[in-house]
Amino acid sequence: MPIRPAVMAAVIAGALAQSATAGEPESASSAGSVSEPLQTAQGLGGSTEQPRRHFRVPNPAVLSEREAVEIYLGLADELAAVYARSGSSIVGEYQSWQRYSSAPYKSMTHGRRYVSNYANAQARDYGRYEQAGQLPVGSVVVKDSFVVTDAGEITLGPLFVMEKMAPGFNYVTGDWRYSMISETGEFLGETGGEGAQRVEFCIACHLAQEDQDHLFFVPAERRVTAD
């Protein structure tokens, strides 16, 4: 879905001004408006009932850290409001948790969207990154997201959630439950529950990090030390 006009105006005016830095890659700075929303097939690639991967954003913009932060600040309330339509209790809390990314960054594993990483108090060791070890039951790690293309399209993205469940929940996932809320606020599915087949591909991807409790971490240049 496209962002509301008031938010769009703030984003375009404040975040997409062309950088004066010599040699900096072009971003969406040439855009003057937000065009039709991206057709993201609920944020999934392949069949929407049993996707193979995240939908890949075509021609994502290259944003400076400042641009990414300013866009995110303009979208944060909108993201929370849209995710709340799902009825998930997490969406009313996550923006008050520790944010472990200093600025949104383009995540190749999440379809080239710009994401921000949060974790609740139980997951505070997430901020130790590769030294985090096994996070305890009750840990929740989330990524919210947005899309900016080099054509100037700015849209909300899905919310990606990992919850550490009690031992025995799912051996293959390391007892993590994956869930996803779409950019329109639809609850797409969760491991072991409704729409489980829609998030099965998350399991295969995170298995690559089995020796790190199935966790991917913020890029080194965007990491924040927990308070």
Side-chain angles (χ1 to χ4, degrees):
M1 62 172 292
I3 57 177
R4 292 197 299 251
V7 176
M8 178 190 72
V11 170
I12 294 299
L16 297 182
Q18 186 168 359
S19 172
T21 304
E24 182 171 341
E26 288 188 1
S27 69
S29 57
S30 60
S33 63
V34 174
S35 58
E36 292 300 314
L38 296 173
Q39 300 302 309
T40 62
Q42 297 183 314
L44 305 172
S47 166
T48 56
E49 290 307 309
Q50 192 156 12
R52 301 184 304 276
R53 56 171 172 78
H54 291 295
F55 171 85
R56 291 177 185 151
V57 176
N59 303 315
V62 176
L63 301 178
S64 69
E65 183 172 354
R66 179 187 63 82
E67 288 175 328
V69 168
E70 292 185 5
I71 289 175
Y72 185 65
L73 291 176
L75 295 178
D77 289 346
E78 185 82 354
L79 288 166
V82 169
Y83 298 150
R85 297 174 189 169
S86 69
S88 169
S89 61
I90 289 174
V91 302
E93 304 173 1
Y94 84 90
Q95 288 184 356
S96 67
W97 298 348
Q98 176 70 48
R99 187 169 72 237
Y100 288 93
S101 45
S102 60
Y105 60 93
K106 186 161 53 179
S107 173
M108 300 304 291
T109 55
H110 292 84
R112 303 192 291 190
R113 296 174 175 86
Y114 281 86
V115 303
S116 296
N117 298 49
Y118 291 83
N120 67 357
Q122 291 94 320
R124 59 185 175 274
D125 281 347
Y126 181 80
R128 297 176 62 221
Y129 305 107
E130 285 80 7
Q131 283 70 52
Q134 299 286 315
L135 297 189
V137 173
S139 295
V140 183
V141 178
V142 306
K143 293 183 179 73
D144 57 10
S145 67
F146 65 87
V147 173
V148 182
T149 74
D150 61 7
E153 294 175 308
I154 305 171
T155 61
L156 308 185
L159 181 72
F160 312 104
V161 183
M162 294 176 66
E163 303 172 75
K164 179 58 80 69
M165 310 300 287
F169 170 74
N170 189 311
Y171 172 78
V172 176
T173 69
D175 296 321
W176 286 101
R177 178 169 68 187
Y178 300 97
S179 60
M180 186 161 62
I181 298 169
S182 80
E183 62 272 29
T184 61
E186 179 186 358
F187 185 82
L188 293 174
E190 65 180 10
T191 306
E194 180 183 357
Q197 72 279 4
R198 291 181 174 179
V199 294
E200 282 184 1
F201 69 101
C202 301
I203 299 172
C205 183
H206 282 263
L207 270 173
Q209 295 293 99
E210 186 175 10
D211 62 343
Q212 303 242 352
D213 198 18
H214 299 249
L215 294 167
F216 287 94
F217 300 109
V218 180
E221 66 275 13
R222 293 286 189 269
R223 292 183 179 182
V224 170
T225 302
D227 297 334

